[in-house]
Amino acid sequence: MPISYRDIKRICLDRIQQRIWQPNTYLPSEADLAKEFSSTRTTVNRALRELAAEGYLERKRKSGTRVLQAPIRRAQFAISLARDEISARGSAYRYALVDQNLSAAPQWLVPRLELDEGAEVMHIRCLHFADELPFQFEERWIVADTVPNVRQTSFARTVPNEWLVRNAPFTDLTVSFAATQADDIVAGFLGCTSGASLFMAERSTGLRGQPVTFARLYFAPGYRVTAKA
Amino acid sequence: MPISYRDIKRICLDRIQQRIWQPNTYLPSEADLAKEFSSTRTTVNRALRELAAEGYLERKRKSGTRVLQAPIRRAQFAISLARDEISARGSAYRYALVDQNLSAAPQWLVPRLELDEGAEVMHIRCLHFADELPFQFEERWIVADTVPNVRQTSFARTVPNEWLVRNAPFTDLTVSFAATQADDIVAGFLGCTSGASLFMAERSTGLRGQPVTFARLYFAPGYRVTAKA
DNA sequence: TAGTGGTCTAGACCACCCG
DNA sequence: GGGTGGTCTAGACCACTAT
């Protein structure tokens, strides 16, 4: 019964984590490992390639495969739809539109999305509730030239995020997290005190270089985002 | 000249993004695609496997390969050392210890790290400066039983994070982000007003189930973390 | 039961790069 | 120059699962 690349991967990871293979030292060559495991170089290659992709190893032609001192661990934060996040917590989801209107992009947004001066955007403000408590206040701008349908769309009953997934494919995504202070407006919508410290996410997407949408998501106090790596 | 799996991957990604292959529909089988590209199934397999890993496709035996409606985009935040983050911005880095002391773990930390009641921890408070401005205030607890060396270590000139990388390997990592309000102490160290809204990261690591360290990182006002996907 | 992806083998050529 | 990883080919068997 042949040994699988998964087995080889697991064995190698053990050796790394138990420091049998010391940080900053070189592994045996693929050919040698293949002999050791009675396998082929193709199979060993896949195991090591994946361990390198996961940040444990660095591979270079001729030099060989080296154990990284501090494994580069990338924490992944899944930025999902509010509905999914709330459902996953076992809470009831409700959406509510605050208002929407088509107008020229605000000045600060122009450089941010690399818009043309005076480009039309659909501005939407809305709320996401978890068990009838405000969970997230969302402010979003959708570029009308890139997503023409948006001019005729009412978001009274349609969640902007979910509509976009179906109607505006994107290829580029940038997400950032920051802390901010609730102003009177946001505080009102989230039902918190003005000046409260809020977790904020900003998300912009584009389609092959063309700007699609920019969103600011204000989370109710106490929110945190977690990732295991 | 044979076609590479990268070429195939790029062509397939184009077809997905241009909706030539519609969301929720099935791709031709690997064997058919291999014919189309005058390649082999092995090569096509690698291309599709990677696209699936990146969240564009879902693959199942017998059913085939399906285009996902909303590509699952995972934003990756590299959690790096303060020194690296500050250097990357082109600023000068400086470290300063506030204090350190060995004592019993505070009550709230016990369940958090699944410690034994009364376990000894090294408590460290320190600062990271960028161009002489406070950048991050760090409060950290290192479990002495898991990392015995810590009892004899002075962090006056040694950055805890960097020392841990060399002396305490870890296998498990949890990171979370939240917003918090600066109390008087933190405000003093960061040179901001008390009550300011701060971005906070919490990071705990373990070694095969054993707790190693827990850290709270308070960033100076205005900090944000960004990821492209 | 049949079709599809998952994986392994055995061999080959090549690109890169250190000495 | 020579060793190492990167990749492709051609073929095979198997595991899963829809029908």
Side-chain angles (χ1 to χ4, degrees):
Chain A
M1 176 177 47
I3 189 170
S4 91
Y5 82 93
R6 280 170 214 267
D7 295 330
I8 295 178
K9 195 175 160 185
R10 190 181 32 70
I11 293 169
C12 292
L13 183 53
D14 274 355
R15 291 185 187 174
I16 294 166
Q17 293 186 334
Q18 296 180 19
R19 306 222 164 180
I20 294 169
W21 286 337
Q22 295 279 326
N24 247 316
T25 63
Y26 285 84
L27 269 57
S29 74
E30 290 188 350
D32 288 345
L33 287 172
K35 266 182 240 160
E36 179 190 341
F37 295 122
S38 309
S39 179
T40 59
R41 197 163 78 81
T42 312
T43 301
V44 171
N45 179 278
R46 178 158 179 195
L48 297 187
R49 182 159 29 92
E50 292 193 1
L51 285 174
E54 288 165 28
Y56 294 100
L57 300 174
E58 187 190 58
R59 321 192 72 205
K60 255 194 236 159
R61 280 153 154 140
K62 166 67 181 178
S63 338
T65 300
R66 193 166 58 88
V67 180
L68 288 179
Q69 176 157 54
I72 299 163
R73 305 294 282 270
R74 303 178 196 79
Q76 295 195 338
F77 297 89
I79 315 300
S80 51
L81 304 179
R83 181 194 299 278
D84 296 339
E85 195 163 350
I86 290 168
S87 300
R89 296 169 179 225
S91 296
Y93 174 74
R94 187 166 71 83
Y95 164 79
L97 177 67
V98 174
D99 53 24
Q100 72 174 98
N101 67 285
L102 198 63
S103 55
Q107 282 224 322
W108 61 267
L109 189 60
V110 171
R112 190 130 198 169
L113 288 183
E114 299 180 37
L115 296 173
D116 294 328
E117 199 65 51
E120 247 188 347
V121 292
M122 179 66 85
H123 178 213
I124 301 156
R125 298 192 301 168
C126 60
L127 280 160
H128 306 272
F129 294 88
D131 287 336
E132 294 306 321
L133 291 172
F135 174 82
Q136 181 191 115
F137 173 67
E138 170 178 346
E139 193 161 18
R140 181 182 290 276
W141 293 263
I142 301 174
V143 182
D145 283 337
T146 316
V147 193
N149 286 354
V150 78
R151 297 178 203 271
Q152 289 88 43
T153 303
S154 158
F155 293 97
R157 303 194 168 283
T158 305
V159 183
N161 218 325
E162 299 171 5
W163 182 86
L164 281 164
V165 165
R166 290 192 308 275
N167 294 275
F170 63 88
T171 55
D172 319 308
L173 168 64
T174 304
V175 182
S176 70
F177 297 143
T180 188
Q181 250 171 340
D183 60 23
D184 291 344
I185 296 171
V186 173
F189 285 122
L190 286 181
C192 63
T193 59
S194 189
S197 188
L198 301 182
F199 188 81
M200 178 179 77
E202 289 184 348
R203 190 187 155 108
S204 45
T205 64
L207 178 61
R208 260 183 281 285
Q210 284 195 310
V212 171
T213 183
F214 174 76
R216 279 220 179 91
L217 313 174
Y218 298 90
F219 292 84
Y223 180 81
R224 71 171 45 213
V225 59
T226 299
K228 286 176 197 267
Chain B
M1 177 177 45
I3 189 170
S4 91
Y5 82 92
R6 281 171 214 264
D7 295 330
I8 295 177
K9 195 175 161 185
R10 189 180 33 71
I11 293 169
C12 292
L13 184 54
D14 274 354
R15 291 185 186 174
I16 294 166
Q17 292 186 334
Q18 296 181 19
R19 306 222 163 179
I20 294 169
W21 287 338
Q22 295 278 325
N24 248 317
T25 63
Y26 286 86
L27 270 57
S29 74
E30 290 187 350
D32 288 346
L33 286 172
K35 266 182 240 159
E36 179 191 340
F37 295 123
S38 309
S39 180
T40 59
R41 197 162 80 80
T42 312
T43 302
V44 171
N45 178 279
R46 178 158 179 194
L48 298 187
R49 179 160 30 91
E50 292 195 0
L51 285 174
E54 288 165 27
Y56 294 101
L57 300 174
E58 187 191 57
R59 321 191 72 203
K60 254 193 238 161
R61 281 151 154 144
K62 166 68 180 176
S63 342
T65 300
R66 193 165 59 87
V67 180
L68 288 179
Q69 177 156 53
I72 299 164
R73 304 296 283 271
R74 304 177 198 80
Q76 293 195 337
F77 298 89
I79 314 299
S80 51
L81 306 179
R83 181 195 297 278
D84 295 338
E85 196 164 348
I86 289 168
S87 300
R89 296 170 178 225
S91 296
Y93 174 74
R94 186 166 72 83
Y95 164 78
L97 177 67
V98 174
D99 52 25
Q100 72 174 96
N101 67 285
L102 198 63
S103 55
Q107 282 223 323
W108 61 266
L109 188 61
V110 172
R112 190 132 199 167
L113 287 182
E114 299 180 38
L115 296 173
D116 294 328
E117 199 66 53
E120 249 188 345
V121 292
M122 179 65 84
H123 178 212
I124 300 156
R125 298 192 301 169
C126 60
L127 280 161
H128 306 271
F129 294 88
D131 287 336
E132 295 306 320
L133 291 172
F135 174 81
Q136 181 190 115
F137 174 67
E138 169 178 346
E139 193 162 18
R140 180 182 291 275
W141 293 263
I142 302 175
V143 181
D145 283 337
T146 316
V147 193
N149 285 353
V150 79
R151 297 178 203 270
Q152 290 88 42
T153 303
S154 158
F155 293 98
R157 304 195 166 281
T158 305
V159 184
N161 217 326
E162 299 171 5
W163 183 85
L164 282 164
V165 164
R166 289 193 307 275
N167 294 275
F170 63 90
T171 55
D172 320 307
L173 167 64
T174 304
V175 182
S176 70
F177 296 144
T180 189
Q181 250 170 340
D183 61 22
D184 291 343
I185 295 170
V186 174
F189 285 122
L190 286 180
C192 63
T193 60
S194 191
S197 188
L198 300 182
F199 188 82
M200 178 180 76
E202 289 183 350
R203 189 189 155 108
S204 44
T205 64
L207 177 62
R208 263 185 286 284
Q210 284 195 311
V212 171
T213 183
F214 174 76
R216 278 218 179 93
L217 313 174
Y218 298 89
F219 291 85
Y223 180 81
R224 71 172 43 215
V225 58
T226 300
K228 287 179 195 264

